[in-house]
Amino acid sequence: ETGVTQSPTHLIKTRGQQVTLRCSSQSGHNTVSWYQQALGQGPQFIFQYYREEENGRGNFPPRFSGLQFPNYSSELNVNALELDDSALYLCASSLIGHLNTEAFFGQGTRLTVV
Amino acid sequence: KQEVTQIPAALSVPEGENLVLNCSFTDSAIYNLQWFRQDPGKGLTSLLLIQSSQREQTSGRLNASLDKSSGRSTLYIAASQPGDSATYLCAVTDQGGSEKLVFGKGTKLTVNP
């Protein structure tokens, strides 16, 4: 158990809809990162939030957005869903500014867009 | 741009065998390297973290090494068991600002009883 929880675990949406995924970070961690993992691929960095501000973004369009709350939990929002958005979405929490910046992952949310 | 490569993509071994998984990265400006395990459809479990100043880390039957100058890491699994069957992912923490993880595509390991 990593202490990082994601909800929901599975989700089916229709193309064009919007979705919100949630993540509760590990106690004591100040940073949340989101990753998209397509089938058979390694996870790809979407963005990171540190102290409620976006702290880096990968090669994803603006319809992928996020929030981090004062308790360090986070949301990933995706607008105008496309079929290629079908993937496992992973949330990772870590402690930036600490030497041992080990990242701990949640169990993921499997999103299927039909 | 940091790129991480894992070889082989898949590996099948008999139970009890010792094995090595390989990971290479193109930019040596990293904070650390992590090895993860992923079971089908599940999240990632952190196995070992090696800081950029370290050469190796050990946990039980697992030993990971890091040669930052050559951009290589290996994960050694001793006395493999069927329960070790999973995909093993290597990731480096990039120094480029956000300390994001850059992953390889993984090595799918099958240990046959």
Side-chain angles (χ1 to χ4, degrees), chain B residues 25-92:
Chain B
F25 49 96
T26 55
D27 186 346
S28 61
I30 63 170
Y31 284 125
N32 57 46
L33 183 145
Q34 272 185 266
W35 282 93
F36 294 91
R37 169 189 172 132
Q38 185 174 34
D39 293 296
K42 303 295 185 184
L44 308 183
T45 300
S46 179
L47 298 173
L48 289 164
L49 169 74
I50 311 177
Q51 299 295 338
S52 61
S53 58
Q54 296 175 324
R55 299 282 295 182
E56 66 178 321
Q57 282 287 337
T58 299
S59 175
R61 294 183 294 109
L62 305 180
N63 176 277
S65 69
L66 173 64
D67 184 343
K68 202 174 85 160
S69 61
S70 68
R72 293 180 185 176
S73 175
T74 60
L75 179 66
Y76 175 82
I77 303 177
S80 59
Q81 303 170 356
D84 295 331
S85 298
T87 296
Y88 290 81
L89 291 154
C90 162
V92 297

Side-chain angles (χ1 to χ4, degrees), chain A residues 43-105:
Chain A
Q44 297 291 316
F45 176 71
I46 302 175
F47 45 57
Q48 181 181 86
Y49 278 82
Y50 170 62
R51 292 183 176 177
E52 303 177 52
E53 297 285 334
E54 188 177 287
N55 183 47
R57 188 179 184 93
N59 189 25
F60 282 82
R63 58 190 186 83
F64 285 78
S65 63
L67 285 172
Q68 187 183 29
F69 300 100
N71 65 356
Y72 302 121
S73 64
S74 176
E75 287 183 353
L76 164 65
N77 299 290
V78 187
N79 293 322
L81 284 166
E82 301 177 359
L83 297 179
D84 285 349
D85 295 334
S86 295
L88 182 67
Y89 288 85
L90 296 163
C91 163
S93 88
S94 58
L95 186 60
I96 276 188
H98 191 276
L99 177 63
N100 190 17
T101 54
E102 186 171 4
F104 294 94
F105 282 78

